[in-house]
């Protein structure tokens, strides 16, 4: 009976200590992690077939670039590669044109910053133009009230000159 108990104990010990290894599978990352890595990488890498879509959204069913790229991304994610490792691999093979968004460094910063600078500049210029127009409008309407007498005098002189010239023209 003793050999049976020790064999049962040994079997139980092996079973309990190996259970975490069985639960983990083949040592790869959990399925949800690989799906998330695959989805993110396929979304952030461009298809180079000319469709101007990401690898995930390429509309061509038998695309000669997107289909093999999807397979490669899936294999790399299943083998435990991280998102960054997959992206670096594709950039090394195809250059930075494969990135859906340019990196936020170097000259690429101009593309991120310039629109805000341009919008601010245009807004400032519109403000200045409207301000100048409003000041000119106030200036044109204000003197008419205060200098009515000189204008009436100038208008009277012009009327006299007009009458004189018309009478000469009729003669």
């Amino acid at each position: 009976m003793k050999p049976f108990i020790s064999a049962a104990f040994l079997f139980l010990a092996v079973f309990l200590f190996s259970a975490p290894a069985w639960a983990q599978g083949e040592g790869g990352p959990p399925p949800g992690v690989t799906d998330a890595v695959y989805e993110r990488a396929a979304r952030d890498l461009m298809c180079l077939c000319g469709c101007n879509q990401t690898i995930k959204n390429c509309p061509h069913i038998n695309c000669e670039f997107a289909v093999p790229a999807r397979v490669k991304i899936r294999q790399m994610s299943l083998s435990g590669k991280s998102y960054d490792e997959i992206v670096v691999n594709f950039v090394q093979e195809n250059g930075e044109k494969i990135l859906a968004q340019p990196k936020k460094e170097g000259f690429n910063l101009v593309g991120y910053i310039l629109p805000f600078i341009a919008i601010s500049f245009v807004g400032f210029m519109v403000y200045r133009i409207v301000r100048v127009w409003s000041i000119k409008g106030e200036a044109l309407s204000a003197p008419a009230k205060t200098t009515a007498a000189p204008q009436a005098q100038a208008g009277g002189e012009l009327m006299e000159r007009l009458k004189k010239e018309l009478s000469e023209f009729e003669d």
Side-chain angles (χ1 to χ4, degrees):
M1 186 81 165
K2 260 198 184 257
F4 177 72
I5 293 176
S6 59
F9 182 77
L10 181 64
F11 178 74
L12 183 63
V14 169
F15 178 75
L16 289 177
F17 289 122
S18 63
W22 288 347
Q24 197 174 36
E26 297 178 8
V33 173
T34 58
D35 289 342
V37 169
Y38 170 80
E39 291 293 323
R40 185 172 172 210
R43 181 193 68 217
D44 291 347
L45 296 173
M46 292 296 292
C47 180
L48 299 179
C49 73
C51 67
N52 292 328
Q53 297 289 324
T54 61
I55 290 174
K56 180 179 179 182
N57 297 327
C58 181
H60 304 116
I61 295 171
N62 295 323
C63 179
E64 54 192 50
F65 184 81
V67 172
R70 289 179 193 134
V71 170
K72 183 175 180 180
I73 293 170
R74 176 64 71 191
Q75 289 172 346
M76 291 176 80
S77 67
L78 287 175
S79 69
K81 300 275 186 189
S82 70
Y83 165 80
D84 293 328
E85 292 171 330
I86 294 171
V87 170
V88 165
N89 183 287
F90 273 87
V91 169
Q92 287 174 349
E93 289 179 5
N94 303 295
E96 284 195 18
K97 64 184 176 186
I98 194 137
L99 296 175
Q101 295 179 338
K103 294 180 181 176
K104 296 176 184 169
E105 59 188 30
F107 187 71
N108 292 339
L109 281 176
V110 173
Y112 285 101
I113 296 172
L114 191 62
F116 297 109
I117 292 172
I119 289 170
S120 300
F121 178 74
V122 169
F124 176 73
M125 292 307 294
V126 167
Y127 165 76
R128 294 287 299 194
I129 290 170
V130 168
R131 186 167 176 225
V132 167
W133 286 348
S134 66
I135 290 172
K136 283 185 179 179
E138 290 173 4
L140 290 175
S141 64
K145 297 176 187 174
T146 59
T147 60
Q151 285 181 353
Q153 185 181 8
E157 292 173 6
L158 289 175
M159 285 301 283
E160 291 297 323
R161 184 176 166 196
L162 180 62
K163 288 179 184 177
K164 180 181 172 187
E165 288 181 10
L166 283 174
S167 65
E168 290 175 4
F169 179 72
E170 290 176 353
D171 290 336

